[in-house]
Amino acid sequence: MLEAVIFDMDGVIFDSEALVISTWKQVADKYGISGIEDTCMECLGTNSEATVRIFQKNYGKDFPYAVYKKEMAELFHEQAAGGKLPKKKGVIELLEYLHYRDIKVGLATSTREEVVKKELSEGGLFEYFDEIVCGDMVKRSKPEPDIYLEACKRLQVSPENCYGIEDSYNGIRALKGAGMHAVMVPDLANPTKEMEELAECILPSLLEVKKYLEEVV
């Protein structure tokens, strides 16, 4: 039984993760920060607190993350604001299908609520979601299952009757930990053996997810 589909946002709904890395690289080149791409990849799917811990692990406790993040965020929003952030292929078709079939739709993203609502609204997608849970609404970040369990709770559905769509390793781990059906649509991170074992399926686009769910329904 399919009660709900819960989406991650960055790398699943919006083609934003490449832009995040690109803008971090601009900051890193300016200040001589090495290995920024690997660090960003390690942060995929995590909330802001977990991201800070990863940066400090890689660059030391004295690393001025807040200063650099502010500069990076300004570069990002210059290029993404006003609805310029590109959507992933098939997202509208999938959301319309779920709406047509009266299947509940949730969002469980590690991004902060303020940013999430702004990007969804500017992208014309906000009204598609019945419930939105953001990274600053739960204590523990992905790969812990908290954010997905909270989304299921708010949607009033059972995790075992929900499908989750993720692009990151941490996201798939979180879905599996929540007891949900995990669907991986890879973005920057290629599937690994672990992902093949944890995910119910790995599909190339949201259009393929729509086809897959049509068979489930």
Side-chain angles (χ1 to χ4, degrees), residues 9-192:
M9 188 177 78
D10 294 296
V12 172
I13 290 174
F14 291 115
D15 193 7
S16 50
E17 289 181 341
L19 181 57
V20 168
I21 293 180
S22 172
T23 49
W24 262 118
K25 282 181 66 179
Q26 291 179 59
V27 174
D29 290 345
K30 180 178 177 180
Y31 295 104
I33 304 168
S34 63
I36 198 70
E37 288 185 68
D38 290 339
T39 298
C40 287
M41 291 295 290
E42 193 176 347
C43 294
L44 291 180
T46 62
N47 64 14
S48 57
E49 291 181 359
T51 296
V52 171
R53 289 196 295 270
I54 292 168
F55 268 79
Q56 290 180 340
K57 172 178 68 73
N58 290 353
Y59 299 112
K61 291 289 185 181
D62 296 330
F63 182 78
Y65 174 83
V67 175
Y68 294 144
K69 173 61 189 298
K70 182 176 184 294
E71 191 166 333
M72 169 266 166
E74 289 171 355
L75 292 169
F76 180 91
H77 291 302
E78 282 176 12
Q79 299 175 60
K84 295 194 295 288
L85 194 59
K87 300 176 187 68
K88 298 293 280 189
K89 179 181 178 181
V91 65
I92 296 294
E93 290 88 342
L94 178 53
L95 289 169
E96 285 285 350
Y97 168 74
L98 296 172
H99 178 72
Y100 171 75
R101 295 305 301 257
D102 201 27
I103 296 167
K104 293 180 179 180
V105 178
L107 188 77
T109 172
S110 297
T111 303
R112 292 181 297 111
E113 181 181 11
E114 178 185 2
V115 175
V116 171
K117 290 184 174 179
K118 183 175 186 291
E119 291 182 354
L120 288 177
S121 296
E122 290 181 347
L125 301 178
F126 187 83
E127 299 303 323
Y128 283 103
F129 294 92
D130 299 299
E131 292 290 342
I132 294 172
V133 185
C134 305
D136 49 356
M137 296 180 180
V138 293
K139 289 185 177 179
R140 298 193 302 174
S141 174
K142 302 172 187 178
E144 300 300 333
D146 302 35
I147 196 166
Y148 279 109
L149 293 173
E150 179 64 22
C152 289
K153 180 181 176 182
R154 294 187 183 201
L155 288 165
Q156 298 182 319
V157 295
S158 302
E160 60 268 24
N161 294 331
C162 292
Y163 281 74
I165 306 173
E166 276 280 1
D167 67 300
S168 72
Y169 304 154
N170 287 322
I172 293 294
R173 292 167 186 145
L175 285 170
K176 192 66 175 179
M180 296 170 59
H181 299 271
V183 177
M184 186 177 191
V185 181
D187 183 34
L188 300 184
N190 293 321
T192 61

